[in-house]
Amino acid sequence: MSIDKETAARVAHLARIRVKDEALPALAEEFNAILGFIEQLNEVDVEGVEPMTSVTPQRLKRRQDVVTDGNQQEKILANAPDAREGFFAVPKVVE
């Protein structure tokens, strides 16, 4: 797969990244380099390799799921720029 200038511009638009027209060819080249590396990874034989989350075996540290300092709603909301009915109030965001 090859990324052209128009596709790079579309990806930048979808990612909400402003890219100047003169930088689009370089961006397309970077995308193509990334895709080339991914194609190289497809050549690796992973038959019989167990999936892992880390290169070193680890167990996650566990703790008791207990509330240590609850019931501070008023103190927390005191720092809010806008709080209503016991909650943070945020502006409505709809496109």
Side-chain angles (χ1 to χ4, degrees), residues 2-9 19 23-35:
S2 180
I3 302 292
D4 59 359
K5 206 169 90 169
E6 289 77 26
T7 306
V19 179
L24 285 174
L27 182 63
E29 285 182 34
E30 286 185 45
F31 284 150
N32 285 320
I34 292 168
L35 290 174

Side-chain angles (χ1 to χ4, degrees), residues 64-84:
Q64 292 294 322
D65 188 16
V66 296
V67 176
T68 55
D69 59 349
N71 296 328
Q72 296 186 21
Q73 182 180 19
E74 292 173 4
K75 288 182 183 178
I76 294 170
L77 292 177
N79 292 324
D82 189 9
R84 297 179 196 154

Side-chain angles (χ1 to χ4, degrees), residues 35-94:
L35 290 174
F37 180 71
I38 292 171
E39 287 176 9
Q40 284 181 351
L41 290 176
N42 287 331
E43 297 173 7
V44 177
D45 181 21
V46 293
E47 189 68 33
V49 177
E50 291 288 324
M52 60 183 178
T53 58
S54 175
V55 294
T56 57
Q58 302 177 20
R59 284 193 54 90
L60 294 176
K61 296 178 181 172
R62 304 200 183 263
R63 62 172 173 79
Q64 292 294 322
D65 188 16
V66 296
V67 176
T68 55
D69 59 349
N71 296 328
Q72 296 186 21
Q73 182 180 19
E74 292 173 4
K75 288 182 183 178
I76 294 170
L77 292 177
N79 292 324
D82 189 9
R84 297 179 196 154
E85 301 175 16
F87 297 98
F88 289 101
V90 295
K92 184 176 181 179
V93 181
V94 177

